[in-house]
Amino acid sequence: MKSFAYWINGAAVLGIAGMMAMGSGIADPGIDTMTTASIAPPADADRFMVVDHARNRTCIVALHRAAGYDIHRLEPGKCDGMPPALSEARIWQDTATGRVRITDRKGNVVMRLSADDRFGWNVVEPADLALSFEAF
């Protein structure tokens, strides 16, 4: 019959071997990194908190969705002290590439957004505009 110390030593050796395999990449921890890194913003969000990362300010904008269309009315709230591009924003358009184009009343593009891996969008154009739109 094997002693208790024999089984404890065997478990310790297996544990160390498992840790080494995980550390070297031989064993996979079972986490699907593609799925966890690609959480898309909710498609039906109707309010966003806009975060100005450069000035450390926030404001709320409302999105009035038109069912069946990819163009929606954007209504900035009280966004005093935010970049002027946000006060000009009036139209939210979902594009075929999965991005968002925001235009003013005349149809001029004021910013382009790309999906964030959280629940929102980051401004990618203009590049000097450090804003994110976070759904809630």
Side-chain angles (χ1 to χ4, degrees):
M1 176 177 222
K2 305 284 183 189
S3 70
F4 182 70
Y6 174 83
W7 292 109
I8 293 295
N9 286 337
V13 168
L14 285 175
I16 291 171
M19 288 182 354
M20 290 174 60
M22 291 288 289
S24 66
I26 296 170
D28 184 17
I31 298 172
D32 184 1
T33 53
M34 278 307 269
T35 301
T36 56
S38 63
I39 299 171
D44 60 350
D46 60 353
R47 293 189 325 167
F48 291 89
M49 178 174 63
V50 181
V51 180
D52 182 354
H53 301 281
R55 295 175 184 88
N56 200 23
R57 294 181 179 260
T58 62
C59 75
I60 306 297
V61 297
L63 184 60
H64 303 281
R65 293 191 180 272
Y69 295 93
D70 62 351
I71 297 177
H72 315 288
R73 185 168 58 93
L74 186 68
E75 180 183 357
K78 296 179 181 174
C79 295
D80 299 333
M82 298 292 277
L86 185 61
S87 64
E88 298 170 7
R90 292 296 178 267
I91 304 293
W92 174 290
Q93 182 179 12
D94 299 312
T95 65
T97 60
R99 291 189 171 192
V100 170
R101 180 183 306 128
I102 296 181
T103 60
D104 61 11
R105 293 174 196 230
K106 297 178 183 177
N108 300 319
V109 176
V110 292
M111 60 184 96
R112 295 179 196 274
L113 311 177
S114 180
D116 192 355
D117 62 349
R118 296 178 308 231
F119 295 104
W121 303 87
N122 286 329
V123 173
V124 292
E125 194 177 303
D128 63 338
L129 199 56
L131 294 179
S132 62
F133 288 67
E134 299 177 7
F136 70 97

